[in-house]
Amino acid sequence: MKLRILPPLFGLLCALLMIGIAKLLPGLVFRFPGQNFAAAALILSGLSMDIVALVQFRKQQTTISPLSPQKTAAIVKGGVFAISRNPMYLGMLLVLSGFGIYLGSIANLAILAGFVAVITRQQIKPEEEVLREKFGDEYTAYTNAVRRWI
């Protein structure tokens, strides 16, 4: 598996692009009552999901590194992993969504869609190949039971 960019760094790049878009296209900025609350709720939800997923990985004594899925010791299926096969990437998407709402630029929806597309193609699918090879039918059953994102 060959990565082109680490997912957290790609998330940061997306956040920087969101800032740039909001500044370059101020006519597409929106405001609504409770906007900051909605943004904070999404950001906190995303961070919480990431933390819970990290704790679950640690409890299963398996790698959290997106660079080495071949070092995975177990398929984590409970908790947030029963909702999404990729809760850490989903958490990153929630954080970016909250940041996008905070910035208030409708154009940032394109960045969110790009984040999902790139992470799916460049990270998730290669990880799935490695896990399918390593865990076989057990991983296939998990993929049939739990969706990739949500």
Side-chain angles (χ1 to χ4, degrees), residues 132-149:
R132 192 168 278 112
E133 285 179 24
K134 183 165 185 155
F135 295 103
D137 291 342
E138 180 186 5
Y139 184 72
T140 299
Y142 176 59
T143 63
N144 290 335
V146 179
R147 296 175 75 140
R148 182 178 281 147
W149 282 91

Side-chain angles (χ1 to χ4, degrees), residues 10 93 111-121 124 149:
F10 183 64
L93 178 62
I111 301 297
L112 297 175
F115 176 82
V116 170
V118 170
I119 288 294
T120 298
R121 187 180 70 241
I124 293 173
W149 282 91

